[in-house]
Amino acid sequence: MVLRLWRACVLFIDIRAKAAMTWNGAPSSRSLKVDLTVSGPCFNPVTSLTVNDRQGDLVYSLLSQNPNGSFYRDEDSIKCTASVLKSNGYSSYTLNVSVADNNTTLYDTFTVTILGLPIICEAQKDDYGLWPETIVASIAQVPCTSAVEKGTYYRTCLKSGWDQVNNNCSIDQYVIVDVINKISNLNSTRQEDISDTLLNITKTMNTLSNNSKISEEVSYLQDIANASAKLVDYIEQNSDKITDAITDNILGTISNFLDENKHDAWHKINAETETASVEEPVGVATVLSSADRFLAILRNSKCNAFDMNSTEQKDNKNMYVELGLRRNASVQFPSKKSYGSNVKIPQQSITGLLEACFVGAIYPTIGAVLNGQVTFLQKCTQESFCLCCCDFFSRTYTLLHGLFA
């Protein structure tokens, strides 16, 4: 008998799934901080995104729920940008992160606390403009508020709050040059643009003459005074172009020229012109001459528009004007406002004339500007009547012109 032995072979197959990818310590499990007071706070990683049992390549996603804190991924680490964190000023950021391999996607939401943020001065709006939020020891700037100035207002953010406002504002010479050029080119300006151009010119001159810094550079004051005279030259030939707004700007400019804060500037100009060989010196006399000529234009252009026995007032700080039309009545100026003295022409003095149209001006501060010396005499050769009255005790100078019809 033959015995055969059979061997039984058993094959064991170990079928076990690989472990799914997991965090090697989720970011949210840590207390994550960035201290901006230390050197290179963002040089070292804010946190790591290491995982266990990865299968294949990893794909990362990182999103900050706050405005951009400039957090970024550097391989399996998250880093930050210190300058952005300082500028933003947020004390914490919430970040969402995900990591995916071929089989698994891990998610986590975590908070990064920002330490050592610089103290800031909060944004503030005032007469100078809107001051931006500013870090302590830094300087904030806003443009000079006047359209005729260049430079900035500036202030420092202190630990105790905003410091006082300083400025380097000054008159923009190019604005003056532009005004002078526009006046020189009025005759070649398109007729449909004349009104807007005149309004722009007179508005700018009013703003310039009212600026306190115009007296710091006397040549600028002279330039604007001379430009005013040139403008009146044009208006004398084009009185139909005058509007109420243009009138108010011109009278405002004259009033600004005669403000007491320009006393020293005019005094310096007068002293310089006395020693200089200038054919036509520009001083207070130039301003008064321009005012006188413009008032005559104003009177002539408005006479036909007045109601009988009516009076119109133009009241500025350093110049008071009345225009009126009278029939069979005396002329008194001022009639609507008291300055301690007045001019009165009885009705019988203008007998035989049905109507009298007049304009009168009082300059309450002229005594201070002229420094007690009158070097200007009104010419009345073409007027039906013209009176000049100077009273330096009350610092007034009165002009009265009449046109009869």
Side-chain angles (χ1 to χ4, degrees), residues 102-113:
N102 293 339
N103 298 312
T104 308
T105 300
L106 302 177
Y107 299 94
D108 196 17
T109 298
F110 58 97
T111 298
V112 179
T113 302

Side-chain angles (χ1 to χ4, degrees), residues 321-382:
V321 175
E322 283 185 9
L323 301 99
L325 181 63
R326 300 289 183 268
R327 171 176 286 180
N328 297 325
S330 61
V331 175
Q332 179 175 317
F333 172 77
S335 62
K336 297 291 186 180
K337 194 171 183 177
S338 175
Y339 280 93
S341 62
N342 59 63
V343 175
K344 185 174 183 179
I345 300 178
Q347 190 272 332
Q348 56 266 32
S349 297
I350 49 178
T351 302
L353 298 174
L354 293 178
E355 297 178 357
C357 184
F358 72 93
V359 61
I362 287 182
Y363 306 90
T365 59
I366 194 68
V369 176
L370 290 178
N371 203 30
Q373 297 180 359
V374 180
T375 58
F376 172 78
L377 294 176
Q378 172 59 32
K379 296 179 181 180
C380 308
T381 56
Q382 297 179 355

Side-chain angles (χ1 to χ4, degrees), residues 4 50 63 85 115 162 301 335 356 379-380 400:
R4 296 176 182 264
T50 55
L63 176 65
L85 300 181
L115 304 177
W162 285 112
S301 64
S335 62
K379 296 179 181 180
C380 308
L400 181 64

